[in-house]
mmCIF file of all heavy atoms in Angstrom:
data_model
loop_
_atom_site.group_PDB
_atom_site.id
_atom_site.type_symbol
_atom_site.label_atom_id
_atom_site.label_comp_id
_atom_site.label_asym_id
_atom_site.label_seq_id
_atom_site.Cartn_x
_atom_site.Cartn_y
_atom_site.Cartn_z
ATOM 1 N N GLU V 72 12.196 0.040 -1.969
ATOM 2 C CA GLU V 72 12.446 0.222 -0.535
ATOM 3 C C GLU V 72 13.837 -0.237 -0.104
ATOM 4 O O GLU V 72 14.528 0.482 0.621
ATOM 5 C CB GLU V 72 11.394 -0.515 0.308
ATOM 6 C CG GLU V 72 11.685 -0.334 1.787
ATOM 7 C CD GLU V 72 10.651 -0.922 2.715
ATOM 8 O OE1 GLU V 72 9.768 -1.661 2.267
ATOM 9 O OE2 GLU V 72 10.753 -0.627 3.913
ATOM 10 N N ASP V 89 7.429 -1.503 -3.261
ATOM 11 C CA ASP V 89 7.592 -2.143 -1.948
ATOM 12 C C ASP V 89 7.453 -3.646 -2.196
ATOM 13 O O ASP V 89 6.355 -4.137 -2.460
ATOM 14 C CB ASP V 89 6.529 -1.648 -0.955
ATOM 15 C CG ASP V 89 6.856 -2.087 0.468
ATOM 16 O OD1 ASP V 89 7.576 -3.090 0.626
ATOM 17 O OD2 ASP V 89 6.381 -1.431 1.416
ATOM 18 N N ASP V 92 5.219 -5.571 1.726
ATOM 19 C CA ASP V 92 4.649 -4.656 2.721
ATOM 20 C C ASP V 92 3.957 -5.513 3.769
ATOM 21 O O ASP V 92 3.014 -6.264 3.453
ATOM 22 C CB ASP V 92 3.657 -3.680 2.063
ATOM 23 C CG ASP V 92 3.189 -2.652 3.075
ATOM 24 O OD1 ASP V 92 4.042 -1.904 3.583
ATOM 25 O OD2 ASP V 92 1.983 -2.638 3.409
ATOM 26 N N TRP V 216 6.692 4.172 -1.024
ATOM 27 C CA TRP V 216 6.432 2.801 -1.477
ATOM 28 C C TRP V 216 5.275 2.139 -0.728
ATOM 29 O O TRP V 216 4.702 1.179 -1.214
ATOM 30 C CB TRP V 216 7.700 1.942 -1.386
ATOM 31 C CG TRP V 216 8.450 2.090 -0.096
ATOM 32 C CD1 TRP V 216 8.166 1.494 1.084
ATOM 33 C CD2 TRP V 216 9.611 2.909 0.129
ATOM 34 N NE1 TRP V 216 9.070 1.889 2.043
ATOM 35 C CE2 TRP V 216 9.973 2.738 1.481
ATOM 36 C CE3 TRP V 216 10.373 3.755 -0.680
ATOM 37 C CZ2 TRP V 216 11.067 3.404 2.053
ATOM 38 C CZ3 TRP V 216 11.458 4.404 -0.112
ATOM 39 C CH2 TRP V 216 11.797 4.220 1.229
ATOM 40 N N ASP V 217 4.939 2.667 0.472
ATOM 41 C CA ASP V 217 3.751 2.147 1.167
ATOM 42 C C ASP V 217 2.480 2.674 0.499
ATOM 43 O O ASP V 217 1.425 2.045 0.561
ATOM 44 C CB ASP V 217 3.705 2.629 2.629
ATOM 45 C CG ASP V 217 4.918 2.204 3.445
ATOM 46 O OD1 ASP V 217 5.282 1.025 3.378
ATOM 47 O OD2 ASP V 217 5.495 3.066 4.149
HETATM 48 CA CA1 LIG M 2 5.992 -0.912 3.505
#
Side-chain angles (χ1 to χ4, degrees):
E72 179 175 11
D89 191 336
D92 186 61
W216 46 80
D217 301 313

